């Protein structure tokens, strides 16, 4: 009746931005991500605690705002006729700040809920259920490099390369630890409805995915770097041109990009990516990690640095 699972957040190199079906939370485009190892969210689901209604504690604090989405996630996995649950989540990194905490939280919650209810669901079904809670959560059911393909009425996930096969490093520069002002879902809908660049973004995604897929297969860092930076800047351009515009960047975000450009000019194999928040993730070869970490930590406005390698799929850690 009680289970605990751990999932790591993932960051997209080829981004998911825009929904084809809002109710089913189906993405308009496919995406390719890397799952991280040092950052994690642990979620416990207790179906035997008998609370009067679902209860959610996030880092030990009751969180009624996040509860409805978490309750819906549990009901999707277990069924509407389930007992009320006590859910506890704990993350070792800032949540709701563009570090994909919803991905790790919903991936872990899906795995924990299935185990607490004694359901044996395969990885593909768990990924699809997690994806209905948060699009990017589906990818955290897989480790290393994963692709979420968008085919028809369902999503399909595939592992492209595991975390040991191409052990890249990621340096996360936190420029503002507070929660973001606009949710991804809200901002995606504004982009879809109003951005003059939205249709082009959707049309070009298959080409970007193919380029990245090939680069990963061939361990071609330079090609992956170029397509990931292009795809990231294109996604943010879609948002910047929407009405009202969505600008997740801070001035320190831009300074971090300049730092990454300088590192590249100095010969470091590194590239940046930015999600729905002001943080910058610099992906690099292991031998360049120290230089990237040093340069980003000296960039004005950077408040904290986290470093990580690539991590495994979401997993069950306890069940009773
Ligand atoms: O999973 P969501 O709904 O939080 O959306 C994620 C959106 C981006 O992080 C910006 C891109 C991505 O593919 O992860």
């Amino acid at each position: 009746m009680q289970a605990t699972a751990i999932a790591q957040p993932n960051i997209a190199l080829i981004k998911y931005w825009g929904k084809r079906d809002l109710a089913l939370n189906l993405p308009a485009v496919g995406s390719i991500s890397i799952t991280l190892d040092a950052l994690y969210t642990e979620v416990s689901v207790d179906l035997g605690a008998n609370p009067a209604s679902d209860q959610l504690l996030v880092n030990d604090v009751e969180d009624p705002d996040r509860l409805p989405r978490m309750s819906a996630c549990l009901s999707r996995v277990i069924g509407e006729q389930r007992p009320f649950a006590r859910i506890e989540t704990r993350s070792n990194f800032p949540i709701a700040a563009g570090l994909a905490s919803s991905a790790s939280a919903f991936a872990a919650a899906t795995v924990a809920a299935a185990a607490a209810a004694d359901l044996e669901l395969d990885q593909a079904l768990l990924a699809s259920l997690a994806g209905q809670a948060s699009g990017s959560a589906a990818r955290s059911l897989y480790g290393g490099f994963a692709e979420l393909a968008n085919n028809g009425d369902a999503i399909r996930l595939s592992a492209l390369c595991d975390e040991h096969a191409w052990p890249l490093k990621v340096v996360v520069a936190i420029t503002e630890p507070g929660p973001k002002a606009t949710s991804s879902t809200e901002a995606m809908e504004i982009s879809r409805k109003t951005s003059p660049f939205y249709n082009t973004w959707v049309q070009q995604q298959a080409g970007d995915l193919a380029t990245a897929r090939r680069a990963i297969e061939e361990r071609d860092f330079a090609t992956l770097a170029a397509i990931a930076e292009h795809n990231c800047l294109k996604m943010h351009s879609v948002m910047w041109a929407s009405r009202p515009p969505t600008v997740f960047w801070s001035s320190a975000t831009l300074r971090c990009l300049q730092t990454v450009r300088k590192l590249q000019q100095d010969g470091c194999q590194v590239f940046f990516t930015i999600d729905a928040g002001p943080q910058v993730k610099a992906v690099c070869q292991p031998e360049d990690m120290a230089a990237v970490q040093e340069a980003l930590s000296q960039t004005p406005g950077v408040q904290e640095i986290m470093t990580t390698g690539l991590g495994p799929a979401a997993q069950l850690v306890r069940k009773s």
Side-chain angles (χ1 to χ4, degrees):
M1 292 300 269
Q2 211 234 333
T4 302
I6 279 196
Q8 277 76 0
N10 68 78
I11 55 175
L13 304 183
I14 303 297
K15 310 284 190 190
Y16 147 50
W17 193 255
K19 294 183 199 287
R20 189 155 44 88
D21 185 318
L22 195 57
L24 295 175
N25 203 32
L26 288 173
V29 291
S31 53
I32 290 179
S33 64
I34 45 179
T35 297
L36 309 179
D37 71 350
L39 280 55
Y40 64 84
T41 303
E42 186 179 276
V43 178
S44 297
V45 172
D46 189 349
L47 295 173
N50 245 341
S53 58
D54 282 344
Q55 206 185 10
L56 172 66
L57 277 92
V58 173
N59 293 332
D60 293 323
V61 180
E62 200 135 354
D63 194 333
D65 295 343
R66 289 196 172 84
L67 179 62
R69 229 172 131 194
M70 188 53 88
S71 290
C73 173
L74 262 58
S75 295
R76 249 180 249 116
V77 177
I78 306 170
E80 297 288 343
Q81 303 307 320
R82 64 177 172 82
F84 288 126
R86 184 180 155 85
I87 309 135
E88 286 187 49
T89 87
R90 192 175 299 281
S91 295
N92 71 338
F93 60 97
I95 55 176
L99 286 177
S101 57
S102 65
S104 51
F106 287 115
T110 301
V111 173
D118 241 344
L119 300 170
E120 300 228 342
L121 309 181
D122 66 21
Q123 199 181 17
L125 183 54
L126 288 168
S128 149
L129 289 164
Q132 289 173 50
S134 163
S136 54
R139 299 183 310 232
S140 280
L141 263 298
Y142 289 69
F145 292 77
E147 177 167 3
L148 189 159
N150 159 50
N151 56 339
D153 293 340
I155 56 168
R156 189 172 46 80
L157 274 117
S158 43
L160 296 180
C161 161
D162 80 22
E163 64 271 29
H164 309 293
W166 199 14
L168 297 179
K169 299 285 183 190
V170 182
V171 179
V172 182
I174 299 186
T175 66
E176 275 170 31
K180 62 190 172 196
T182 320
S183 78
S184 312
T185 298
E186 231 178 294
M188 282 184 201
E189 280 301 285
I190 295 172
S191 290
R192 184 179 66 79
K193 289 181 186 150
T194 69
S195 179
F197 305 145
Y198 182 78
N199 289 339
T200 309
W201 156 256
V202 173
Q203 280 158 19
Q204 291 191 353
Q205 191 77 342
D208 290 4
L209 287 165
T211 304
R213 204 181 298 124
R214 204 170 330 111
I216 293 163
E217 246 164 57
E218 294 170 1
R219 315 284 191 267
D220 175 351
F221 190 90
T223 301
L224 184 62
I227 195 65
E229 288 191 352
H230 168 69
N231 189 265
C232 164
L233 294 176
K234 196 161 52 175
M235 177 186 78
H236 285 277
S237 304
V238 168
M239 293 182 214
W240 283 34
S242 68
R243 292 181 151 186
T246 310
V247 178
F248 283 114
W249 299 15
S250 67
S251 50
T253 308
L254 195 51
R255 278 190 223 109
C256 289
L257 299 200
Q258 290 164 337
T259 298
V260 172
R261 278 285 174 272
K262 172 84 176 53
L263 285 160
Q264 290 169 334
Q265 281 153 12
D266 294 345
C268 280
Q269 293 200 67
V270 58
F271 65 88
F272 62 77
T273 190
I274 308 154
D275 293 299
Q279 332 305 358
V280 175
K281 293 102 180 191
V283 182
C284 62
Q285 295 280 15
E287 59 273 24
D288 289 321
M289 190 175 90
V292 172
Q293 186 178 357
E294 175 70 15
L296 282 171
S297 64
Q298 284 173 11
T299 300
V302 171
Q303 307 200 3
E304 200 186 330
I305 292 279
M306 288 177 171
T307 58
T308 169
L310 304 194
Q315 48 201 297
L316 185 65
V317 289
R318 261 188 315 279
K319 187 181 158 177
S320 56

